[in-house]
Each structure stands twice: as structure tokens, then as C-alpha cells.
Amino acid sequence: MRYHSLGDVPAKRHAQTRRNGKLLTEEVLGYEGFSGNESILYHLHSPCRLSEVGDFEPIVRDEWVPDAHVHRLADANQVEPGGDPVGGRRLLMFNGDIEVWVCKPTETHEGFYRNGEGDEVVYVHRGGGVLHTMFGRVPFREKDYVVIPRGTTHRWELADGEQYWMCFHTPGEIETPNRYRNRYGQLLEHAPYSQRDFHAPIELDTIEDDGDHDLTLRVRDGFQSYVLDRHPFDVVGWDGYVYPYTFNADDFEPRAGRFHLPPPAHQTFQGPNFVICTFAPRMLDWDETAVPIPYHHSNIQSEEVMFYAEGDYAARKGVEIGCLTLHPSGLPHGPQPGTVEKALGAKQTNELAVMWDTFRPLRLTTLWQGVDNPAYAYSWNEEKAAALEAQPVH
Ligand SMILES: [Fe+2]
């Protein structure tokens, strides 16, 4: 991210800074010790203050180990809404590099949340609202990726209506690819987005409140609760390179070629051993002999998950908006029968999909098991698939 600042920041770092005669508490929040990106925040009070230490609750992962290794389809539309924006998250898949949680919050987020062991990205498939953070307010809307660096104390305010989110957690850092940047860090002219497409906090709320406030901290593979004796948003100013932001999928400038381009053309973010890509509505490959949908490919070193967000995805049959496919390592995959012929000559696509590829195997949970469609594994075999359709899917 680029340098950003909100509120009052003194001319020099680490110098005496006062408000109404009282010294402010300076907090350096940074990655990689003191060598990575950082921001400096100025608090009215020490951010260490506690009123009470509460319980620690370990994360329980209900893994589902399927009987067979096959391509999979899950209809996450069937996941029941409920819970608040953090407690209502339900784990769908995970490995040591990434966790993906489905969240359809219906309840107000009480208290505050901070992830102390990972960065988060929330893809807002449906819904919107305001993310209140110690860095200021971050409005979010449908198709936003909301990126929240670790260490950011925050609270979600929900707009009215349906909310349907895919929440990513990684112990690594969420970054934009280096190949989109020049040697100074500025995004290149041919990157699929520019700095203008990334939206930092818009306004700082400085709250002086000595009441008790609940804080949940994700750390050590669990959730530690605390009661603070002050409101955590007592920041009068901050500056630096670390802060939450949004990027909307509609602002991704898609790339196309005379012949088909592979998924790295759609890459949006990366973390350790994974990428997140945006397949945005776009013009299709324009050579008159081009096949405008993906060629078959073997992900011999990765697992590929696709979340279908909008439009009509030409390479897939029987896959609805809000569903996911998992094409795991070791198996080739490609368009289903008939979809190639149908797509020939198409000039554009209205599909929107979010894809994450992991370079280490993914483990599924019982949440996936509950919405899994086992017939998908046979969907490249028309006769077998037709026979299965005649039977109830379990
Ligand atoms: Fe693929």
C-alpha cells in the first residue's frame, strides 16, 4: 500500500507529542520486526490497558476427510445465515497457509475484534456496511475485497439486507503481486488496477470513553477475550503503509489476448503459497480460430477453488451463483462437454468469479460435506452424469 495519513501527526517521530497538555502514546505497528511496512498511531491512552482478562477458546476445525479424491462442487447458498460478522464465520477449507470461512451475518457485531496471527481478506458477495477500525472508517459494499492487516482492532457495522461473505485468513501477508509494481513500489501502467482503486479509511473517529469494552483477539490458534477499560478507538492521528482498505472487483481491469490467457492474468492478491484472482467481465479472445474458454489443465502443483459470483460462467454447466468448485491437485480439469462448441465465436463474457489457488493441499470441513454435490465428479461424462441426475443426490 502507499503512504497514507489521517488526523494529527507530529512533524517528527518519537518526539514528545501532547494533546491538551497530556503526552500521547505512540504505537509503532509493523511487520517483520522493524524492517517491514509499518504505521505509527498516536493514542490518548496506552493501548495495553486492560480491565479484565477473559477466557481463551481454541479453534475447533471439524475436518471432513472424503472417501475419494475427485473434483467437487459445493452449494454454499445452502449455508444458513446467522451469527455476527466474526462469531458467525463457518470454516469451509483450510491448510497451513490459508483458511476460508463462509459468513452470512445477521447479528450486530458487539465488542471489538483483532486478528493477532494473520491478515484477513473478506470478499463481500452480498451486503455492505462500514468497517470501524482504529485507523478510521472503511465503508464497504458488494464485490469489495476488504483487506484487514493483522493488529487492526475493528468492529463491523452491517447495512440492512442480506450479507454473504467469503473470509480468508492467512498467517502470511496479503500483498499485491510484485510484478505489478515498479522498483519504487508504484503500480505499473499495465497493472490491472491503480492506486486510485484502493480505498483507505476515510475518516478517523477519536473516541474518549472510559467505559468497559470487550475485545476478542485471535491468537495461538484460538480466541482470547479481554475487557478493555477504554474505547480502543482513541487514536488522534496515524500515518504509514499499514492500514485496512477495500478494492472492488468491478475495478479490476481485465486482460484478454488474441488467444486465451491463463489465470495469472487475473491475479489480484497473493499470500504464502496461494493467490487470489478476479475473473471479471471482459472481452474474449478475438482471433477467429481462438477457443475463448480455458483449455484443459492439470494443476499438478496446486488446488484450485472457484467461487461463482455473478453472470453466466461459460465453462461450467449446472453451477449456480454462490456455488464453489474445487479442482484438486493430480486431476486434469477443463470445460464440461458441449461448453467449448457453445462458446466459439463469443465476443465477451459477463462472468465474475473469485478464484484461489493454493500450492499445498486443502483440507475440507463438515460444512463443505453438508453442501457437497458428488455428481460433479462425473460431469465430464455425459452419459454417467445423465444417469446420476435421475437419482437423488446425497
Ligand atoms: Fe482451472
Side-chain angles (χ1 to χ4, degrees):
M1 284 301 98
R2 59 183 163 170
Y3 176 84
H4 194 68
S5 180
L6 279 181
D8 297 329
V9 174
K12 296 296 286 183
R13 296 170 301 158
H14 323 318
Q16 295 171 29
T17 309
R18 294 177 186 274
R19 161 129 347 165
N20 299 327
K22 185 176 177 298
L23 271 178
L24 296 177
T25 302
E26 183 185 47
E27 178 194 7
V28 174
L29 183 151
Y31 287 79
E32 296 178 36
F34 292 90
S35 305
N37 279 346
E38 68 173 35
S39 285
I40 301 181
L41 303 98
Y42 294 87
H43 296 268
L44 293 173
H45 305 278
S46 166
C48 307
R49 293 180 64 105
L50 293 176
S51 174
E52 211 171 307
V53 177
D55 297 331
F56 179 83
E57 193 183 321
I59 293 173
V60 177
R61 296 181 178 85
D62 294 321
E63 184 174 0
W64 171 48
V65 183
D67 294 335
H69 183 79
V70 292
H71 294 313
R72 295 193 175 276
L73 166 66
D75 182 2
N77 294 303
Q78 296 176 32
V79 174
E80 288 294 326
D84 71 43
V86 175
R89 295 179 187 187
R90 302 187 62 195
L91 186 62
L92 187 66
M93 57 179 65
F94 63 100
N95 66 21
D97 303 311
I98 190 170
E99 296 171 2
V100 185
W101 305 65
V102 178
C103 192
K104 300 180 179 180
T106 55
E107 296 169 15
T108 303
H109 189 192
E110 304 288 350
F112 297 89
Y113 171 63
R114 181 165 78 224
N115 193 327
E117 60 180 4
D119 285 5
E120 295 188 1
V121 181
V122 174
Y123 178 74
V124 181
H125 174 52
R126 299 273 182 262
V130 179
L131 180 71
H132 296 270
T133 82
M134 63 194 199
F135 294 98
R137 266 177 268 159
V138 183
F140 67 97
R141 62 193 168 99
E142 204 164 283
K143 299 189 224 176
D144 267 349
Y145 294 95
V146 185
V147 180
I148 309 171
R150 72 199 61 207
T152 301
T153 305
H154 61 275
R155 181 176 68 78
W156 296 87
E157 179 189 334
L158 303 177
D160 291 339
E162 181 191 2
Q163 307 275 347
Y164 179 173
W165 308 347
M166 302 301 295
C167 306
F168 303 86
H169 158 96
T170 175
E173 292 179 43
I174 292 293
E175 306 167 322
T176 51
N178 287 345
R179 69 175 189 278
Y180 293 166
R181 296 180 179 276
N182 67 21
R183 67 184 189 276
Y184 304 103
Q186 185 172 13
L187 287 163
L188 293 161
E189 273 293 315
H190 58 269
Y193 38 57
S194 83
Q195 264 88 8
R196 297 181 195 180
D197 298 320
F198 293 83
H199 305 287
I202 55 168
E203 207 164 348
L204 188 61
D205 293 316
T206 307
I207 300 171
E208 173 75 290
D209 171 1
D210 61 3
D212 282 349
H213 295 276
D214 293 329
L215 170 70
T216 301
L217 174 69
R218 177 173 171 168
V219 72
R220 302 287 189 272
D221 220 22
F223 297 101
Q224 172 70 54
S225 65
Y226 304 94
V227 181
L228 310 178
D229 74 341
R230 300 265 171 191
H231 197 290
F233 299 167
D234 67 343
V235 174
V236 302
W238 65 269
D239 74 338
Y241 286 72
V242 178
Y243 49 85
Y245 61 88
T246 62
F247 170 74
N248 194 273
D250 278 345
D251 286 328
F252 190 88
E253 300 305 331
R255 297 292 178 259
R258 193 154 66 96
F259 291 95
H260 197 73
L261 296 182
H266 309 288
Q267 190 181 346
T268 309
F269 299 109
Q270 67 188 19
N273 297 316
F274 71 87
V275 297
I276 298 175
C277 300
T278 305
F279 287 73
R282 61 193 180 279
M283 304 306 289
L284 287 170
D285 322 320
W286 54 82
D287 190 275
E288 61 181 22
T289 67
V291 177
I293 54 177
Y295 33 82
H296 278 64
H297 44 286
S298 280
N299 300 347
I300 50 178
Q301 249 184 342
S302 63
E303 313 259 306
E304 177 195 292
V305 185
M306 191 78 100
F307 175 71
Y308 301 87
E310 194 175 74
D312 181 19
Y313 200 77
R316 295 275 160 262
K317 284 199 299 191
V319 175
E320 307 293 329
I321 300 306
C323 290
L324 303 105
T325 53
L326 167 62
H327 300 130
S329 54
L331 298 172
H333 69 276
Q336 264 100 5
T339 53
V340 175
E341 284 288 354
K342 202 172 145 198
L344 296 181
K347 298 285 181 251
Q348 59 189 58
T349 175
N350 63 354
E351 74 191 29
L352 174 67
V354 175
M355 186 188 81
W356 49 103
D357 273 11
T358 68
F359 305 137
R360 297 200 294 174
L362 282 163
R363 296 156 75 178
L364 300 175
T365 65
T366 52
L367 183 67
W368 183 294
Q369 182 184 21
V371 295
D372 185 67
N373 182 341
Y376 183 70
Y378 295 104
S379 61
W380 286 267
N381 178 337
E382 288 169 297
E383 299 78 28
K384 180 85 178 178
L388 279 172
E389 270 172 24
Q391 301 169 12
V393 168
H394 53 83

